Amino acid sequence: MNQNEKVLANFQTRIRQMILRFKELKKENVDLYAMVAEGELRVKQLEAKLAQQERDYQSLKMARMMEITDGDLDGAKSRVAKLIRDVNKCIAILSDENEVTDEKK
């Protein structure tokens, strides 16, 4: 084998190696594109789920506000009335204590 044949054989070997590497990289590229597509699909699904959850939350919040205004209004009124009675009792007790203190002076 002369020098030219050796160079040509070496060149052919390198070309075959490059072709094999190209095929490997091409397959890897296809796999990576598939992974990206799956990721994008998953992101879209999660965004849709998040949007639905936000709508559900707003609906529940609105329903709770409606419930508070309807049913808890009477309960809230009775709690406020009880607090007012308690405050009035405290004022009366303090007034009695002040009268006793004033009489001692």
Side-chain angles (χ1 to χ4, degrees), residues 15-96:
I15 293 294
R16 281 190 213 105
Q17 289 174 344
M18 285 177 52
I19 290 171
L20 288 174
R21 182 69 179 140
F22 172 77
K23 288 179 181 179
E24 291 171 3
L25 290 174
K26 190 173 179 182
K27 182 182 181 328
E28 183 181 350
N29 193 26
V30 168
D31 293 342
L32 291 173
Y33 271 107
M35 287 174 57
V36 168
E38 288 174 17
E40 288 175 349
L41 178 63
R42 179 76 173 139
V43 166
K44 286 180 182 178
Q45 290 172 342
L46 290 173
E47 285 175 343
K49 187 175 181 179
L50 176 63
Q52 181 62 43
Q53 293 291 335
E54 286 175 349
R55 286 190 297 272
D56 291 347
Y57 173 72
Q58 292 300 327
S59 296
L60 287 172
K61 194 164 79 170
M62 183 65 71
R64 179 68 180 144
M65 286 173 33
M66 299 285 280
E67 180 181 308
I68 287 172
T69 56
D70 290 345
D72 288 345
L73 188 59
D74 293 332
K77 283 181 182 179
S78 66
R79 286 191 301 272
V80 168
K82 183 182 180 307
L83 287 172
I84 290 172
R85 285 192 302 274
D86 290 344
V87 168
N88 287 337
K89 286 178 186 177
C90 291
I91 291 172
I93 291 170
L94 289 174
S95 295
D96 289 342

